[in-house]
Amino acid sequence: MNEFELPPIDYAALAPILIMMGAAVVGVLIEAFVPRRLRHPIQLPLALLAVLAALTMVVFNADKRLITIGVIAIDGPTLFLQGGILVLSAVALLMIGERSIERGGAFVAQAAITADSPDDRRQAQHASGAGEVYPLVTFAIGGMLIFVSANDLLTMFIALEVFSLPLYLLCALARRRRILSQEAAMKYFLLGAYASAFFLFGLALLYGFTAGLGDRPAGVDFATIHAAVANSTQSPVLLFAGMALVAIGLLFKAAAAPFHVWTPDVYQGAPTPVTGFMAACTKVAAFGALLRVFHVAFEGARWDFTPVLGVVAVLTMLVGAVFAVTQTDIKRLLAYSSIANAGYLLVGVLAPGANGLSGTMFYLVAYGFAVLAAFAVVTLVRDADGEATHLSRWAGLGRRSPLYASVFTFILLAFAGIPLTSGFTSKFAVFGPALEGGQVWLVIAGVLTSMVLAFPYLRVVVMMWLSEPGESTPTVTVPGGLTSAALVIGVIATLVLGVAPGPLLDLASGAAEFVR
């Protein structure tokens, strides 16, 4: 009788995922057994320590390249993107853990309280925020780490659900404007469910397509799909249909048009720290998956998908730039800015060769730091009713608080792609390889929409500095230590990656090789 042998597993390579999932489970147990007053002081350090431990293991695994562990791929892009997610998550956790800007924090104390009821108004003034936020965030981070390393569409789908479901809940937990928050979460959940269904249906079609490989069994791992694209005798209809449906699921998470409609409502309604977490980390995860799917599984069909994704990229840039001009809410403005940036990132995804891959990875990290800093400033501009996000309320802010107005001006200039900021370096990093690869039309669209998108940024700058403060102009709250740290990290990273981007660019270039 043959002895049962366990498959060889490199636990050190999987350690970042295991650490984050383990911390999430411990966080759930803390919520169940620890008194409420002690939960926040335990949960925040636990989440931060887990992120730092996972990041340490990513660095430790830096010499492990081009290996697969079952359905998980450990290669340069996996390690770079996991490191980026963890660094940005640490900054986002600082904002999530802040309790001094608003008493009790940005999150509702009890999610089951009826919105706008007397109990809801009382908790908005006094009660401490829900501690279950932290295990939800750590589950989401763990799912993102799996998502960017999945070497199999079924594993990628499971990871998609693991990090999406906590985000749906987190969007509904705003302390103030509860109805708006719950409406945003419901929209995100329903549209996300449809996107997941598209992804799963596309997976089934691709499984059918891989059945035409003769003796090789059908499958949805990327090596099998890659071989089927090159050698299958099946009709390409299944391939194109499956590719389109899988792309819809991924483009939804990336906030690319026309699958972007959830983004402005969710960015506006979600608690601002969660909005920052989604804008930075979810974008890294979504584009990490897009890069792996289209550069590994569908690489042989590049000439088939490039024109279609190119049109999606141009449409995304246009929608983001044009609609940003009409916005009157700062969070919705940043949402359409995020949509436009998704279009620029798609240019990098479509750029052939390692330079496009490395430029896209650099862009994701640089944009993540800038957008977290932007939302950190948004949390500080407030009145008695909470955050003042209507643009008219920001008039004259430069006279009320020149320091934070200067910081926000710098971040907006970075979004606009002004030289000596990470925004300029990022756009150069994705447009350059696209130009070399013959994607001139995408670069022209990117440059033109960047010029349009600069207008709403400059309008906010002019409003802050050249308008007189009125009676409705809010004050800027003195940030607590956690928000101050997040803001300083975001601003310094935005400046350094604009002035001296070489080390991160070299790191991204050295990591730009997928295992196949």
Side-chain angles (χ1 to χ4, degrees), residues 383-403:
D383 55 21
D385 296 324
E387 295 167 356
T389 59
H390 198 280
L391 285 180
S392 63
R393 307 287 305 280
W394 288 54
L397 196 66
R399 313 227 177 152
R400 288 278 179 90
S401 181
L403 174 60

Side-chain angles (χ1 to χ4, degrees), residues 130-173:
E132 57 264 30
V133 166
Y134 298 104
L136 288 173
V137 170
T138 45
F139 268 125
I141 296 170
M144 292 175 190
L145 298 184
I146 302 172
F147 198 56
V148 298
S149 61
N151 202 36
D152 175 286
L153 283 178
L154 188 57
T155 304
M156 188 171 281
F157 172 75
I158 294 170
L160 176 67
E161 297 306 300
V162 168
F163 83 79
S164 294
L165 292 173
L167 290 177
Y168 301 148
L169 294 173
L170 287 167
C171 289
L173 297 180

Side-chain angles (χ1 to χ4, degrees), residues 35-59:
R36 177 178 291 273
R37 61 185 176 83
L38 298 177
R39 291 175 189 171
H40 171 68
I42 297 174
Q43 292 277 32
L44 177 59
L46 172 66
L48 287 172
L49 284 173
V51 168
L52 293 176
L55 182 60
T56 302
M57 291 307 302
V58 169
V59 175

